[in-house]
Amino acid sequence: MSLKPLSPADQLFLWLEKRQQPMHVAGLQLFTFPEDAGPRYIRDLVEEMRSFNTPQSPFNKRLVSRFGQYFWEEDDQFDLEHHFRHRALPKPGRIRELLSYVSSAHSNLMHRERPLWEVHLIEGVQGRRFALYSKVHHAMFDGIAAMRMGSRALTTDPDERNLPPIWAMPPRRRPAGLQIPNPVEVATGLARFTAGMSKQVATMPAVLGEIAKVARKSRRDPNFVSFFQAPPSLLNSKITGSRRFAAQSWPMARFKAVAKAFDCTLNDVVLAVCGSALRNYLISQQALPDKPLIAMVPVSLRRDDSSEGNQIAMILANLGTEVADPALRLKRVKDSVQEAKSRYKAMSPAEILNYTALMMAPAAIQLMTGLAPGLQPFNVIISNVPGPKEPLYWNGARLTGMYPVSIPVDQVALNITLTSYVDHLEFGLTACRRTLPSMQRLLDYLEQGLRDLEVAGDLR
């Protein structure tokens, strides 16, 4: 039987995994029944899904280890019952019960002697709805690839039937390009940086010059975001393996209206709303730092003088959590994001990669070794991923919500990832349950933060 070695980057996710730090990503998809669905609709759907008992690559691969190196090999004892699970929510089947189920399922490590994925079909959701919770190990897919895989299993045709589940879909190549950065991908970036040292040396004068410039500017301007500024906070404590997941949708039009009123981007508004929510949450826990929280944020940088178009870079954004004025908070966010974008526009792609790797080195060292708990370049991860622009269906059921379920890591106990779907923004908040008690209150605080900006912009 042939063995396929994992890349160093993919192996890293296995090495980093601990009981308190599961390294899988997931997605929660919420569907409404087709209009013609009868009483056997879910039962028939489950039976049809179980009929696809021969998975396609990589869903048929399991891990083996040889002399410290991990390989993928085909699982010749594949058991679909272990990977596909049919569950029913306890009545009354509210979203609260659904999120509680996802929180519990996302806390569990996957067994490495089997292929590292699970799909849960969850029935009993109020309003003639059901859900799919799908998780895969980060060694198999990065976050963007997992989301694309989930979307590719769907269709824009409400009448199309007999669609296979994700594990039975023909394989595609793993998408190339930059992933959504988080501390794990930062460590991966460092691995790429050191492995390709001969190609990177030429960029070092510019990179080191930029870092020196940042250090000087951070001393002159207290509002400038450098990699020295993130304050100690409740968000940056040691984590356990227990997870809490919270999710909610907001109309994109509300965020766009605020962006227009304040002459900023939609992503600026998202960050300001998150800053407001974190401020109010930490006040409720009597744990708000005097200095502003810093978010690590992937942004798209369009290089108009290059054929490369958009590219993803990682920035540090000031969330303005030390101020009560929502308009001032948004200005702090906007100014910090714009400064970072301007800095990157003067750099080549290779320089951006190396600058990011060096800037995030403390986070990578702490993640890999636990030896640098005092070096905290950011407090929270906030990612905004573009999603499908048209309504999608699966075997006649309309997709009404899609929420990313991500990875908190030690010293970064909260991950906020959102995606767009048609005309809504779908927020998924994943946190350590014990480190951040009552984290679900952040959903109410997000709404309050958006409403405060609408009032400040005379939109209500």
Side-chain angles (χ1 to χ4, degrees), residues 24-73:
H24 50 251
V25 293
L28 176 64
Q29 297 173 313
L30 192 60
F31 295 90
T32 56
F33 286 17
E35 292 184 4
D36 60 353
R40 287 184 52 90
Y41 176 73
I42 289 293
R43 187 183 307 175
D44 292 342
L45 189 58
V46 169
E47 290 179 359
E48 183 177 0
M49 294 176 75
R50 284 177 174 156
S51 70
F52 291 95
N53 56 11
T54 304
Q56 297 290 316
S57 179
F59 294 94
N60 62 344
K61 299 291 198 299
R62 70 182 188 99
L63 284 172
V64 294
S65 178
R66 299 287 188 272
F67 307 108
Q69 164 77 43
Y70 285 105
F71 297 83
W72 294 117
E73 73 169 5

Side-chain angles (χ1 to χ4, degrees), residues 349-370:
E351 289 169 351
I352 290 174
L353 175 64
N354 291 345
Y355 173 81
T356 300
L358 287 173
M359 184 173 65
M360 294 293 103
I365 292 170
Q366 167 59 23
L367 186 65
M368 290 187 288
T369 68

Side-chain angles (χ1 to χ4, degrees), residues 161-182:
R161 298 294 192 272
N162 301 316
L163 291 171
I166 59 170
W167 65 81
M169 294 172 54
R172 277 188 180 177
R173 292 173 62 90
R174 184 169 177 168
L178 293 175
Q179 305 172 5
I180 298 178
N182 62 38

Side-chain angles (χ1 to χ4, degrees), residues 312-380:
I312 298 295
M314 184 174 61
I315 68 168
L316 299 177
N318 181 338
L319 293 181
T321 51
E322 85 287 14
V323 298
D325 185 341
L328 178 57
R329 182 178 305 112
L330 179 55
K331 185 178 185 305
R332 295 272 175 89
V333 169
K334 176 183 176 181
D335 290 347
S336 66
V337 170
Q338 187 57 50
E339 194 283 331
K341 286 182 178 180
S342 298
R343 190 185 332 140
Y344 279 148
K345 284 181 180 177
M347 301 168 69
S348 70
E351 289 169 351
I352 290 174
L353 175 64
N354 291 345
Y355 173 81
T356 300
L358 287 173
M359 184 173 65
M360 294 293 103
I365 292 170
Q366 167 59 23
L367 186 65
M368 290 187 288
T369 68
L371 298 178
L375 299 177
Q376 194 71 44
F378 53 87
N379 303 105
V380 63

Side-chain angles (χ1 to χ4, degrees), residues 171-387:
R172 277 188 180 177
R173 292 173 62 90
R174 184 169 177 168
L178 293 175
Q179 305 172 5
I180 298 178
N182 62 38
V184 179
E185 275 113 11
V186 169
T188 304
L190 281 174
R192 289 196 302 266
F193 171 71
T194 55
M197 187 66 74
S198 62
K199 296 182 179 179
Q200 310 298 338
V201 170
T203 71
M204 292 311 297
V207 171
L208 295 175
E210 193 60 41
I211 289 177
K213 188 189 303 181
V214 166
R216 289 193 299 270
K217 191 170 184 179
S218 66
R219 289 193 293 268
R220 295 194 307 268
D221 182 358
N223 294 320
F224 177 77
V225 181
S226 80
F227 39 92
F228 304 111
Q229 286 184 228
S233 80
L234 180 63
L235 303 176
N236 309 115
S237 308
K238 293 187 70 64
I239 65 172
T240 70
S242 181
R243 296 289 172 264
R244 184 182 290 277
F245 177 66
Q248 192 163 314
S249 297
W250 275 270
M252 197 183 305
R254 293 180 64 187
F255 286 83
K256 288 182 175 180
V258 172
K260 183 177 180 181
F262 287 93
D263 189 28
C264 62
T265 68
L266 183 145
N267 206 47
D268 292 339
V269 179
V270 166
L271 293 174
V273 169
C274 290
S276 175
L278 289 169
R279 170 184 167 83
N280 287 323
Y281 173 78
L282 291 174
I283 287 175
S284 75
Q285 300 297 313
Q286 300 181 340
L288 179 67
D290 294 332
K291 294 182 179 180
L293 296 181
I294 305 300
M296 187 186 77
V297 186
V299 296
S300 177
L301 300 177
R302 182 165 183 82
R303 305 181 70 90
D304 295 328
D305 57 347
S306 169
S307 60
E308 294 172 14
N310 293 320
Q311 70 176 47
I312 298 295
M314 184 174 61
I315 68 168
L316 299 177
N318 181 338
L319 293 181
T321 51
E322 85 287 14
V323 298
D325 185 341
L328 178 57
R329 182 178 305 112
L330 179 55
K331 185 178 185 305
R332 295 272 175 89
V333 169
K334 176 183 176 181
D335 290 347
S336 66
V337 170
Q338 187 57 50
E339 194 283 331
K341 286 182 178 180
S342 298
R343 190 185 332 140
Y344 279 148
K345 284 181 180 177
M347 301 168 69
S348 70
E351 289 169 351
I352 290 174
L353 175 64
N354 291 345
Y355 173 81
T356 300
L358 287 173
M359 184 173 65
M360 294 293 103
I365 292 170
Q366 167 59 23
L367 186 65
M368 290 187 288
T369 68
L371 298 178
L375 299 177
Q376 194 71 44
F378 53 87
N379 303 105
V380 63
I381 303 163
I382 304 176
S383 301
N384 186 355
V385 184

